[in-house]
PDB file of all heavy atoms in Angstrom:
ATOM      1  N   GLU A 886      11.445  42.843   4.289  1.00  0.00           N
ATOM      2  CA  GLU A 886      11.649  44.194   4.816  1.00  0.00           C
ATOM      3  C   GLU A 886      10.442  44.655   5.616  1.00  0.00           C
ATOM      4  O   GLU A 886      10.576  45.369   6.599  1.00  0.00           O
ATOM      5  CB  GLU A 886      11.913  45.164   3.663  1.00  0.00           C
ATOM      6  CG  GLU A 886      13.317  45.032   3.121  1.00  0.00           C
ATOM      7  CD  GLU A 886      13.696  46.224   2.278  1.00  0.00           C
ATOM      8  OE1 GLU A 886      12.955  46.535   1.326  1.00  0.00           O
ATOM      9  OE2 GLU A 886      14.729  46.836   2.567  1.00  0.00           O
ATOM     10  N   SER A 921      18.411  30.162  15.439  1.00  0.00           N
ATOM     11  CA  SER A 921      19.334  31.287  15.328  1.00  0.00           C
ATOM     12  C   SER A 921      18.683  32.454  14.595  1.00  0.00           C
ATOM     13  O   SER A 921      18.877  33.611  14.959  1.00  0.00           O
ATOM     14  CB  SER A 921      20.584  30.872  14.562  1.00  0.00           C
ATOM     15  OG  SER A 921      21.295  29.913  15.293  1.00  0.00           O
ATOM     16  N   ASN A 924      16.309  34.038  16.935  1.00  0.00           N
ATOM     17  CA  ASN A 924      17.004  34.818  17.958  1.00  0.00           C
ATOM     18  C   ASN A 924      17.397  36.193  17.460  1.00  0.00           C
ATOM     19  O   ASN A 924      17.616  37.110  18.260  1.00  0.00           O
ATOM     20  CB  ASN A 924      18.274  34.097  18.401  1.00  0.00           C
ATOM     21  CG  ASN A 924      17.977  32.762  19.035  1.00  0.00           C
ATOM     22  OD1 ASN A 924      16.845  32.510  19.434  1.00  0.00           O
ATOM     23  ND2 ASN A 924      18.975  31.907  19.115  1.00  0.00           N
ATOM     24  N   ARG A 925      17.521  36.325  16.156  1.00  0.00           N
ATOM     25  CA  ARG A 925      17.971  37.605  15.622  1.00  0.00           C
ATOM     26  C   ARG A 925      16.883  38.404  14.942  1.00  0.00           C
ATOM     27  O   ARG A 925      16.878  39.626  15.010  1.00  0.00           O
ATOM     28  CB  ARG A 925      19.097  37.365  14.626  1.00  0.00           C
ATOM     29  CG  ARG A 925      20.387  36.959  15.298  1.00  0.00           C
ATOM     30  CD  ARG A 925      21.308  36.230  14.346  1.00  0.00           C
ATOM     31  NE  ARG A 925      22.537  35.862  15.022  1.00  0.00           N
ATOM     32  CZ  ARG A 925      22.650  34.819  15.852  1.00  0.00           C
ATOM     33  NH1 ARG A 925      21.590  34.074  16.109  1.00  0.00           N
ATOM     34  NH2 ARG A 925      23.793  34.547  16.438  1.00  0.00           N
ATOM     35  N   ASP A 946       3.483  28.770  17.579  1.00  0.00           N
ATOM     36  CA  ASP A 946       3.253  29.835  18.542  1.00  0.00           C
ATOM     37  C   ASP A 946       4.549  30.423  19.060  1.00  0.00           C
ATOM     38  O   ASP A 946       4.565  31.496  19.638  1.00  0.00           O
ATOM     39  CB  ASP A 946       2.420  29.303  19.709  1.00  0.00           C
ATOM     40  CG  ASP A 946       1.005  28.990  19.254  1.00  0.00           C
ATOM     41  OD1 ASP A 946       0.582  29.634  18.279  1.00  0.00           O
ATOM     42  OD2 ASP A 946       0.360  28.112  19.828  1.00  0.00           O
ATOM     43  N   ARG A 947       5.599  29.693  18.838  1.00  0.00           N
ATOM     44  CA  ARG A 947       6.883  30.213  19.295  1.00  0.00           C
ATOM     45  C   ARG A 947       7.621  30.908  18.180  1.00  0.00           C
ATOM     46  O   ARG A 947       8.712  31.426  18.372  1.00  0.00           O
ATOM     47  CB  ARG A 947       7.736  29.078  19.806  1.00  0.00           C
ATOM     48  CG  ARG A 947       7.418  28.749  21.222  1.00  0.00           C
ATOM     49  CD  ARG A 947       8.509  27.903  21.739  1.00  0.00           C
ATOM     50  NE  ARG A 947       8.589  28.014  23.169  1.00  0.00           N
ATOM     51  CZ  ARG A 947       9.452  27.322  23.881  1.00  0.00           C
ATOM     52  NH1 ARG A 947      10.281  26.503  23.278  1.00  0.00           N
ATOM     53  NH2 ARG A 947       9.499  27.461  25.174  1.00  0.00           N
ATOM     54  N   GLY A 963      -1.467  46.892   6.604  1.00  0.00           N
ATOM     55  CA  GLY A 963      -2.186  48.014   5.999  1.00  0.00           C
ATOM     56  C   GLY A 963      -3.203  47.623   4.970  1.00  0.00           C
ATOM     57  O   GLY A 963      -4.177  48.331   4.769  1.00  0.00           O
TER      58      GLY A 963
ATOM     59  N   PHE B1885       4.073  34.927  23.881  1.00  0.00           N
ATOM     60  CA  PHE B1885       5.010  34.928  22.785  1.00  0.00           C
ATOM     61  C   PHE B1885       6.218  35.781  23.147  1.00  0.00           C
ATOM     62  O   PHE B1885       6.087  36.939  23.454  1.00  0.00           O
ATOM     63  CB  PHE B1885       4.317  35.512  21.559  1.00  0.00           C
ATOM     64  CG  PHE B1885       5.141  35.409  20.328  1.00  0.00           C
ATOM     65  CD1 PHE B1885       5.210  34.213  19.650  1.00  0.00           C
ATOM     66  CD2 PHE B1885       5.853  36.491  19.862  1.00  0.00           C
ATOM     67  CE1 PHE B1885       5.970  34.118  18.510  1.00  0.00           C
ATOM     68  CE2 PHE B1885       6.611  36.389  18.733  1.00  0.00           C
ATOM     69  CZ  PHE B1885       6.675  35.204  18.054  1.00  0.00           C
ATOM     70  N   SER B1888      12.401  38.315  20.432  1.00  0.00           N
ATOM     71  CA  SER B1888      13.841  38.329  20.564  1.00  0.00           C
ATOM     72  C   SER B1888      14.348  39.758  20.419  1.00  0.00           C
ATOM     73  O   SER B1888      13.621  40.655  20.018  1.00  0.00           O
ATOM     74  CB  SER B1888      14.455  37.463  19.484  1.00  0.00           C
ATOM     75  OG  SER B1888      14.105  37.984  18.220  1.00  0.00           O
ATOM     76  N   ASP B1915      22.894  32.467  20.682  1.00  0.00           N
ATOM     77  CA  ASP B1915      22.043  31.305  20.457  1.00  0.00           C
ATOM     78  C   ASP B1915      21.873  30.470  21.718  1.00  0.00           C
ATOM     79  O   ASP B1915      20.779  29.987  22.003  1.00  0.00           O
ATOM     80  CB  ASP B1915      22.602  30.447  19.315  1.00  0.00           C
ATOM     81  CG  ASP B1915      22.396  31.116  17.964  1.00  0.00           C
ATOM     82  OD1 ASP B1915      21.434  31.901  17.851  1.00  0.00           O
ATOM     83  OD2 ASP B1915      23.186  30.880  17.048  1.00  0.00           O
ATOM     84  N   ASP B1926      10.032  25.998  28.921  1.00  0.00           N
ATOM     85  CA  ASP B1926       9.387  24.695  28.794  1.00  0.00           C
ATOM     86  C   ASP B1926       9.345  23.935  30.109  1.00  0.00           C
ATOM     87  O   ASP B1926       8.381  23.235  30.390  1.00  0.00           O
ATOM     88  CB  ASP B1926      10.138  23.842  27.760  1.00  0.00           C
ATOM     89  CG  ASP B1926       9.894  24.330  26.352  1.00  0.00           C
ATOM     90  OD1 ASP B1926       8.902  25.062  26.162  1.00  0.00           O
ATOM     91  OD2 ASP B1926      10.688  24.011  25.454  1.00  0.00           O
ATOM     92  N   GLN B2286      -3.122  43.308  12.549  1.00  0.00           N
ATOM     93  CA  GLN B2286      -2.534  44.508  11.953  1.00  0.00           C
ATOM     94  C   GLN B2286      -1.662  45.240  12.968  1.00  0.00           C
ATOM     95  O   GLN B2286      -0.565  45.698  12.648  1.00  0.00           O
ATOM     96  CB  GLN B2286      -3.650  45.439  11.445  1.00  0.00           C
ATOM     97  CG  GLN B2286      -4.292  44.971  10.151  1.00  0.00           C
ATOM     98  CD  GLN B2286      -3.320  45.022   8.976  1.00  0.00           C
ATOM     99  OE1 GLN B2286      -2.509  45.938   8.872  1.00  0.00           O
ATOM    100  NE2 GLN B2286      -3.395  44.040   8.105  1.00  0.00           N
ATOM    101  N   SER B2390      14.899  51.815   1.957  1.00  0.00           N
ATOM    102  CA  SER B2390      14.344  51.122   0.794  1.00  0.00           C
ATOM    103  C   SER B2390      12.889  51.540   0.594  1.00  0.00           C
ATOM    104  O   SER B2390      12.208  51.916   1.546  1.00  0.00           O
ATOM    105  CB  SER B2390      14.429  49.615   1.004  1.00  0.00           C
ATOM    106  OG  SER B2390      13.309  49.168   1.716  1.00  0.00           O
TER     107      SER B2390
END
Side-chain angles (χ1 to χ4, degrees):
Chain A
E886 284 196 305
S921 294
N924 298 343
R925 287 158 180 78
D946 291 333
R947 276 195 155 178
Chain B
F1885 187 79
S1888 61
D1915 287 333
D1926 287 341
Q2286 284 294 322
S2390 86

